[in-house]
PDB file of all heavy atoms in Angstrom:
ATOM      1  N   ARG A1119      13.701  -0.783   1.696  1.00 93.00           N
ATOM      2  CA  ARG A1119      12.671  -1.833   1.646  1.00 93.00           C
ATOM      3  C   ARG A1119      11.440  -1.424   2.453  1.00 93.00           C
ATOM      4  O   ARG A1119      10.324  -1.740   2.072  1.00 93.00           O
ATOM      5  CB  ARG A1119      13.222  -3.159   2.156  1.00 93.00           C
ATOM      6  CG  ARG A1119      14.258  -3.733   1.241  1.00 93.00           C
ATOM      7  CD  ARG A1119      14.091  -5.204   0.967  1.00 93.00           C
ATOM      8  NE  ARG A1119      15.051  -5.607  -0.043  1.00 93.00           N
ATOM      9  CZ  ARG A1119      14.820  -5.579  -1.334  1.00 93.00           C
ATOM     10  NH1 ARG A1119      13.635  -5.220  -1.787  1.00 93.00           N
ATOM     11  NH2 ARG A1119      15.746  -5.926  -2.190  1.00 93.00           N
ATOM     12  N   ALA A1120      11.660  -0.722   3.552  1.00 92.00           N
ATOM     13  CA  ALA A1120      10.524  -0.240   4.355  1.00 92.00           C
ATOM     14  C   ALA A1120       9.717   0.770   3.543  1.00 92.00           C
ATOM     15  O   ALA A1120       8.482   0.753   3.552  1.00 92.00           O
ATOM     16  CB  ALA A1120      11.028   0.384   5.644  1.00 92.00           C
ATOM     17  N   MET A1121      10.431   1.620   2.804  1.00 91.00           N
ATOM     18  CA  MET A1121       9.769   2.602   1.932  1.00 91.00           C
ATOM     19  C   MET A1121       8.961   1.869   0.857  1.00 91.00           C
ATOM     20  O   MET A1121       7.823   2.221   0.564  1.00 91.00           O
ATOM     21  CB  MET A1121      10.875   3.453   1.276  1.00 91.00           C
ATOM     22  CG  MET A1121      10.373   4.611   0.466  1.00 91.00           C
ATOM     23  SD  MET A1121       9.607   5.821   1.490  1.00 91.00           S
ATOM     24  CE  MET A1121       8.143   6.143   0.524  1.00 91.00           C
ATOM     25  N   ASN A1122       9.589   0.827   0.296  1.00 93.00           N
ATOM     26  CA  ASN A1122       8.937   0.035  -0.742  1.00 93.00           C
ATOM     27  C   ASN A1122       7.653  -0.603  -0.200  1.00 93.00           C
ATOM     28  O   ASN A1122       6.633  -0.665  -0.890  1.00 93.00           O
ATOM     29  CB  ASN A1122       9.909  -1.047  -1.219  1.00 93.00           C
ATOM     30  CG  ASN A1122       9.647  -1.476  -2.636  1.00 93.00           C
ATOM     31  OD1 ASN A1122       8.845  -0.867  -3.331  1.00 93.00           O
ATOM     32  ND2 ASN A1122      10.324  -2.520  -3.054  1.00 93.00           N
ATOM     33  N   GLN A1123       7.705  -1.069   1.043  1.00 94.00           N
ATOM     34  CA  GLN A1123       6.534  -1.671   1.687  1.00 94.00           C
ATOM     35  C   GLN A1123       5.380  -0.664   1.723  1.00 94.00           C
ATOM     36  O   GLN A1123       4.235  -1.002   1.439  1.00 94.00           O
ATOM     37  CB  GLN A1123       6.918  -2.138   3.095  1.00 94.00           C
ATOM     38  CG  GLN A1123       5.758  -2.467   4.014  1.00 94.00           C
ATOM     39  CD  GLN A1123       5.006  -3.710   3.597  1.00 94.00           C
ATOM     40  OE1 GLN A1123       5.547  -4.561   2.903  1.00 94.00           O
ATOM     41  NE2 GLN A1123       3.760  -3.810   4.002  1.00 94.00           N
ATOM     42  N   ASN A1124       5.709   0.592   2.056  1.00 92.00           N
ATOM     43  CA  ASN A1124       4.679   1.634   2.080  1.00 92.00           C
ATOM     44  C   ASN A1124       4.062   1.815   0.701  1.00 92.00           C
ATOM     45  O   ASN A1124       2.840   1.944   0.576  1.00 92.00           O
ATOM     46  CB  ASN A1124       5.286   2.966   2.526  1.00 92.00           C
ATOM     47  CG  ASN A1124       5.459   3.034   4.017  1.00 92.00           C
ATOM     48  OD1 ASN A1124       5.016   2.145   4.731  1.00 92.00           O
ATOM     49  ND2 ASN A1124       6.102   4.067   4.490  1.00 92.00           N
ATOM     50  N   LEU A1125       4.918   1.826  -0.313  1.00 93.00           N
ATOM     51  CA  LEU A1125       4.403   2.021  -1.672  1.00 93.00           C
ATOM     52  C   LEU A1125       3.512   0.854  -2.085  1.00 93.00           C
ATOM     53  O   LEU A1125       2.452   1.058  -2.685  1.00 93.00           O
ATOM     54  CB  LEU A1125       5.561   2.160  -2.661  1.00 93.00           C
ATOM     55  CG  LEU A1125       6.354   3.458  -2.583  1.00 93.00           C
ATOM     56  CD1 LEU A1125       7.532   3.429  -3.531  1.00 93.00           C
ATOM     57  CD2 LEU A1125       5.482   4.649  -2.916  1.00 93.00           C
ATOM     58  N   ILE A1126       3.930  -0.384  -1.736  1.00 94.00           N
ATOM     59  CA  ILE A1126       3.139  -1.554  -2.128  1.00 94.00           C
ATOM     60  C   ILE A1126       1.791  -1.543  -1.413  1.00 94.00           C
ATOM     61  O   ILE A1126       0.754  -1.796  -2.027  1.00 94.00           O
ATOM     62  CB  ILE A1126       3.909  -2.862  -1.855  1.00 94.00           C
ATOM     63  CG1 ILE A1126       5.145  -2.933  -2.756  1.00 94.00           C
ATOM     64  CG2 ILE A1126       3.026  -4.073  -2.105  1.00 94.00           C
ATOM     65  CD1 ILE A1126       6.138  -4.003  -2.376  1.00 94.00           C
ATOM     66  N   SER A1127       1.787  -1.217  -0.114  1.00 94.00           N
ATOM     67  CA  SER A1127       0.477  -1.208   0.564  1.00 94.00           C
ATOM     68  C   SER A1127      -0.402  -0.096   0.016  1.00 94.00           C
ATOM     69  O   SER A1127      -1.619  -0.253  -0.040  1.00 94.00           O
ATOM     70  CB  SER A1127       0.604  -1.152   2.082  1.00 94.00           C
ATOM     71  OG  SER A1127       1.642  -0.359   2.485  1.00 94.00           O
ATOM     72  N   ALA A1128       0.216   1.012  -0.410  1.00 93.00           N
ATOM     73  CA  ALA A1128      -0.588   2.080  -1.033  1.00 93.00           C
ATOM     74  C   ALA A1128      -1.192   1.582  -2.345  1.00 93.00           C
ATOM     75  O   ALA A1128      -2.359   1.851  -2.633  1.00 93.00           O
ATOM     76  CB  ALA A1128       0.275   3.304  -1.280  1.00 93.00           C
ATOM     77  N   ASN A1129      -0.406   0.825  -3.116  1.00 94.00           N
ATOM     78  CA  ASN A1129      -0.925   0.287  -4.381  1.00 94.00           C
ATOM     79  C   ASN A1129      -2.082  -0.670  -4.123  1.00 94.00           C
ATOM     80  O   ASN A1129      -3.078  -0.660  -4.845  1.00 94.00           O
ATOM     81  CB  ASN A1129       0.175  -0.447  -5.137  1.00 94.00           C
ATOM     82  CG  ASN A1129       1.242   0.484  -5.657  1.00 94.00           C
ATOM     83  OD1 ASN A1129       1.049   1.693  -5.678  1.00 94.00           O
ATOM     84  ND2 ASN A1129       2.361  -0.072  -6.053  1.00 94.00           N
ATOM     85  N   LEU A1130      -1.930  -1.516  -3.081  1.00 94.00           N
ATOM     86  CA  LEU A1130      -2.999  -2.481  -2.775  1.00 94.00           C
ATOM     87  C   LEU A1130      -4.248  -1.770  -2.280  1.00 94.00           C
ATOM     88  O   LEU A1130      -5.357  -2.138  -2.654  1.00 94.00           O
ATOM     89  CB  LEU A1130      -2.513  -3.488  -1.734  1.00 94.00           C
ATOM     90  CG  LEU A1130      -1.541  -4.539  -2.269  1.00 94.00           C
ATOM     91  CD1 LEU A1130      -0.989  -5.372  -1.133  1.00 94.00           C
ATOM     92  CD2 LEU A1130      -2.225  -5.435  -3.278  1.00 94.00           C
ATOM     93  N   ALA A1131      -4.062  -0.751  -1.436  1.00 94.00           N
ATOM     94  CA  ALA A1131      -5.227  -0.018  -0.919  1.00 94.00           C
ATOM     95  C   ALA A1131      -5.968   0.673  -2.053  1.00 94.00           C
ATOM     96  O   ALA A1131      -7.186   0.809  -2.028  1.00 94.00           O
ATOM     97  CB  ALA A1131      -4.796   1.005   0.124  1.00 94.00           C
ATOM     98  N   ASN A1132      -5.219   1.099  -3.073  1.00 93.00           N
ATOM     99  CA  ASN A1132      -5.838   1.813  -4.192  1.00 93.00           C
ATOM    100  C   ASN A1132      -6.095   0.909  -5.396  1.00 93.00           C
ATOM    101  O   ASN A1132      -6.159   1.385  -6.527  1.00 93.00           O
ATOM    102  CB  ASN A1132      -4.953   2.987  -4.604  1.00 93.00           C
ATOM    103  CG  ASN A1132      -5.070   4.130  -3.626  1.00 93.00           C
ATOM    104  OD1 ASN A1132      -6.121   4.742  -3.501  1.00 93.00           O
ATOM    105  ND2 ASN A1132      -4.011   4.389  -2.895  1.00 93.00           N
ATOM    106  N   ALA A1133      -6.237  -0.403  -5.121  1.00 91.00           N
ATOM    107  CA  ALA A1133      -6.421  -1.360  -6.219  1.00 91.00           C
ATOM    108  C   ALA A1133      -7.718  -1.105  -6.988  1.00 91.00           C
ATOM    109  O   ALA A1133      -7.886  -1.594  -8.099  1.00 91.00           O
ATOM    110  CB  ALA A1133      -6.399  -2.786  -5.692  1.00 91.00           C
ATOM    111  N   GLU A1134      -8.648  -0.359  -6.394  1.00 90.00           N
ATOM    112  CA  GLU A1134      -9.943  -0.122  -7.046  1.00 90.00           C
ATOM    113  C   GLU A1134     -10.208   1.365  -7.247  1.00 90.00           C
ATOM    114  O   GLU A1134     -11.337   1.751  -7.516  1.00 90.00           O
ATOM    115  CB  GLU A1134     -11.077  -0.712  -6.190  1.00 90.00           C
ATOM    116  CG  GLU A1134     -10.855  -2.143  -5.753  1.00 90.00           C
ATOM    117  CD  GLU A1134     -11.491  -3.147  -6.680  1.00 90.00           C
ATOM    118  OE1 GLU A1134     -12.340  -2.740  -7.472  1.00 90.00           O
ATOM    119  OE2 GLU A1134     -11.116  -4.340  -6.608  1.00 90.00           O
ATOM    120  N   THR A1135      -9.178   2.199  -7.056  1.00 92.00           N
ATOM    121  CA  THR A1135      -9.381   3.639  -7.206  1.00 92.00           C
ATOM    122  C   THR A1135      -9.239   4.035  -8.671  1.00 92.00           C
ATOM    123  O   THR A1135      -8.206   3.766  -9.270  1.00 92.00           O
ATOM    124  CB  THR A1135      -8.343   4.403  -6.366  1.00 92.00           C
ATOM    125  OG1 THR A1135      -8.382   3.908  -5.037  1.00 92.00           O
ATOM    126  CG2 THR A1135      -8.623   5.882  -6.352  1.00 92.00           C
ATOM    127  N   PRO A1136     -10.263   4.669  -9.246  1.00 92.00           N
ATOM    128  CA  PRO A1136     -10.155   5.058 -10.654  1.00 92.00           C
ATOM    129  C   PRO A1136      -8.987   6.015 -10.885  1.00 92.00           C
ATOM    130  O   PRO A1136      -8.761   6.929 -10.095  1.00 92.00           O
ATOM    131  CB  PRO A1136     -11.479   5.761 -10.941  1.00 92.00           C
ATOM    132  CG  PRO A1136     -12.392   5.333  -9.853  1.00 92.00           C
ATOM    133  CD  PRO A1136     -11.559   5.043  -8.670  1.00 92.00           C
ATOM    134  N   GLY A1137      -8.245   5.776 -11.946  1.00 91.00           N
ATOM    135  CA  GLY A1137      -7.159   6.673 -12.331  1.00 91.00           C
ATOM    136  C   GLY A1137      -5.876   6.513 -11.541  1.00 91.00           C
ATOM    137  O   GLY A1137      -4.947   7.281 -11.733  1.00 91.00           O
ATOM    138  N   TYR A1138      -5.803   5.512 -10.645  1.00 92.00           N
ATOM    139  CA  TYR A1138      -4.589   5.345  -9.840  1.00 92.00           C
ATOM    140  C   TYR A1138      -3.554   4.528 -10.602  1.00 92.00           C
ATOM    141  O   TYR A1138      -3.858   3.470 -11.136  1.00 92.00           O
ATOM    142  CB  TYR A1138      -4.923   4.673  -8.505  1.00 92.00           C
ATOM    143  CG  TYR A1138      -3.725   4.509  -7.603  1.00 92.00           C
ATOM    144  CD1 TYR A1138      -3.337   5.533  -6.761  1.00 92.00           C
ATOM    145  CD2 TYR A1138      -2.976   3.335  -7.604  1.00 92.00           C
ATOM    146  CE1 TYR A1138      -2.231   5.405  -5.946  1.00 92.00           C
ATOM    147  CE2 TYR A1138      -1.873   3.193  -6.797  1.00 92.00           C
ATOM    148  CZ  TYR A1138      -1.506   4.235  -5.969  1.00 92.00           C
ATOM    149  OH  TYR A1138      -0.407   4.108  -5.165  1.00 92.00           O
ATOM    150  N   ILE A1139      -2.333   5.049 -10.646  1.00 92.00           N
ATOM    151  CA  ILE A1139      -1.219   4.342 -11.298  1.00 92.00           C
ATOM    152  C   ILE A1139      -0.268   3.869 -10.199  1.00 92.00           C
ATOM    153  O   ILE A1139       0.139   4.672  -9.363  1.00 92.00           O
ATOM    154  CB  ILE A1139      -0.476   5.294 -12.271  1.00 92.00           C
ATOM    155  CG1 ILE A1139      -1.408   5.821 -13.358  1.00 92.00           C
ATOM    156  CG2 ILE A1139       0.729   4.597 -12.906  1.00 92.00           C
ATOM    157  CD1 ILE A1139      -1.922   4.799 -14.332  1.00 92.00           C
ATOM    158  N   PRO A1140       0.065   2.556 -10.168  1.00 92.00           N
ATOM    159  CA  PRO A1140       0.914   2.054  -9.079  1.00 92.00           C
ATOM    160  C   PRO A1140       2.336   2.626  -9.125  1.00 92.00           C
ATOM    161  O   PRO A1140       2.844   2.965 -10.183  1.00 92.00           O
ATOM    162  CB  PRO A1140       0.944   0.540  -9.319  1.00 92.00           C
ATOM    163  CG  PRO A1140       0.577   0.362 -10.733  1.00 92.00           C
ATOM    164  CD  PRO A1140      -0.338   1.483 -11.081  1.00 92.00           C
ATOM    165  N   LYS A1141       2.943   2.712  -7.913  1.00 91.00           N
ATOM    166  CA  LYS A1141       4.310   3.225  -7.800  1.00 91.00           C
ATOM    167  C   LYS A1141       5.183   2.123  -7.233  1.00 91.00           C
ATOM    168  O   LYS A1141       4.737   1.313  -6.433  1.00 91.00           O
ATOM    169  CB  LYS A1141       4.332   4.407  -6.830  1.00 91.00           C
ATOM    170  CG  LYS A1141       3.450   5.554  -7.233  1.00 91.00           C
ATOM    171  CD  LYS A1141       3.551   6.658  -6.196  1.00 91.00           C
ATOM    172  CE  LYS A1141       2.727   7.861  -6.569  1.00 91.00           C
ATOM    173  NZ  LYS A1141       1.296   7.649  -6.397  1.00 91.00           N
ATOM    174  N   ARG A1142       6.425   2.100  -7.666  1.00 90.00           N
ATOM    175  CA  ARG A1142       7.371   1.201  -7.024  1.00 90.00           C
ATOM    176  C   ARG A1142       8.736   1.849  -6.972  1.00 90.00           C
ATOM    177  O   ARG A1142       9.017   2.804  -7.695  1.00 90.00           O
ATOM    178  CB  ARG A1142       7.402  -0.151  -7.723  1.00 90.00           C
ATOM    179  CG  ARG A1142       7.721  -0.105  -9.183  1.00 90.00           C
ATOM    180  CD  ARG A1142       7.807  -1.519  -9.730  1.00 90.00           C
ATOM    181  NE  ARG A1142       8.011  -1.495 -11.145  1.00 90.00           N
ATOM    182  CZ  ARG A1142       7.040  -1.437 -12.044  1.00 90.00           C
ATOM    183  NH1 ARG A1142       5.790  -1.374 -11.655  1.00 90.00           N
ATOM    184  NH2 ARG A1142       7.304  -1.412 -13.327  1.00 90.00           N
ATOM    185  N   LEU A1143       9.575   1.305  -6.084  1.00 91.00           N
ATOM    186  CA  LEU A1143      10.886   1.887  -5.840  1.00 91.00           C
ATOM    187  C   LEU A1143      11.937   0.954  -6.417  1.00 91.00           C
ATOM    188  O   LEU A1143      11.942  -0.236  -6.127  1.00 91.00           O
ATOM    189  CB  LEU A1143      11.073   2.037  -4.329  1.00 91.00           C
ATOM    190  CG  LEU A1143      12.137   2.997  -3.837  1.00 91.00           C
ATOM    191  CD1 LEU A1143      11.815   4.405  -4.273  1.00 91.00           C
ATOM    192  CD2 LEU A1143      12.220   2.937  -2.328  1.00 91.00           C
ATOM    193  N   SER A1144      12.816   1.510  -7.226  1.00 90.00           N
ATOM    194  CA  SER A1144      13.906   0.702  -7.793  1.00 90.00           C
ATOM    195  C   SER A1144      15.216   1.235  -7.225  1.00 90.00           C
ATOM    196  O   SER A1144      15.518   2.415  -7.376  1.00 90.00           O
ATOM    197  CB  SER A1144      13.865   0.815  -9.315  1.00 90.00           C
ATOM    198  OG  SER A1144      15.109   0.482  -9.856  1.00 90.00           O
ATOM    199  N   PHE A1145      15.952   0.372  -6.531  1.00 91.00           N
ATOM    200  CA  PHE A1145      17.187   0.857  -5.896  1.00 91.00           C
ATOM    201  C   PHE A1145      18.334  -0.144  -5.944  1.00 91.00           C
ATOM    202  O   PHE A1145      19.462   0.204  -5.621  1.00 91.00           O
ATOM    203  CB  PHE A1145      16.919   1.249  -4.444  1.00 91.00           C
ATOM    204  CG  PHE A1145      16.314   0.154  -3.625  1.00 91.00           C
ATOM    205  CD1 PHE A1145      17.118  -0.785  -3.012  1.00 91.00           C
ATOM    206  CD2 PHE A1145      14.938   0.060  -3.471  1.00 91.00           C
ATOM    207  CE1 PHE A1145      16.560  -1.807  -2.267  1.00 91.00           C
ATOM    208  CE2 PHE A1145      14.379  -0.965  -2.717  1.00 91.00           C
ATOM    209  CZ  PHE A1145      15.196  -1.889  -2.117  1.00 91.00           C
ATOM    210  N   GLU A1146      18.076  -1.388  -6.346  1.00 89.00           N
ATOM    211  CA  GLU A1146      19.128  -2.412  -6.318  1.00 89.00           C
ATOM    212  C   GLU A1146      20.338  -1.983  -7.147  1.00 89.00           C
ATOM    213  O   GLU A1146      21.477  -2.086  -6.682  1.00 89.00           O
ATOM    214  CB  GLU A1146      18.601  -3.753  -6.829  1.00 89.00           C
ATOM    215  CG  GLU A1146      17.690  -4.488  -5.862  1.00 89.00           C
ATOM    216  CD  GLU A1146      16.224  -4.153  -6.067  1.00 89.00           C
ATOM    217  OE1 GLU A1146      15.925  -3.149  -6.749  1.00 89.00           O
ATOM    218  OE2 GLU A1146      15.364  -4.886  -5.543  1.00 89.00           O
ATOM    219  N   GLY A1147      20.069  -1.489  -8.365  1.00 89.00           N
ATOM    220  CA  GLY A1147      21.148  -1.065  -9.250  1.00 89.00           C
ATOM    221  C   GLY A1147      21.947   0.082  -8.646  1.00 89.00           C
ATOM    222  O   GLY A1147      23.181   0.084  -8.687  1.00 89.00           O
TER     223      GLY A1147
END
Side-chain angles (χ1 to χ4, degrees):
Chain A
R1119 292 225 174 270
M1121 186 67 225
N1122 207 9
Q1123 165 69 23
N1124 281 353
L1125 289 176
I1126 294 167
S1127 37
N1129 291 346
L1130 285 173
N1132 284 294
E1134 310 266 344
T1135 308
Y1138 182 86
I1139 300 294
K1141 301 180 178 74
R1142 57 176 176 273
L1143 199 62
S1144 159
F1145 56 86
E1146 286 92 345

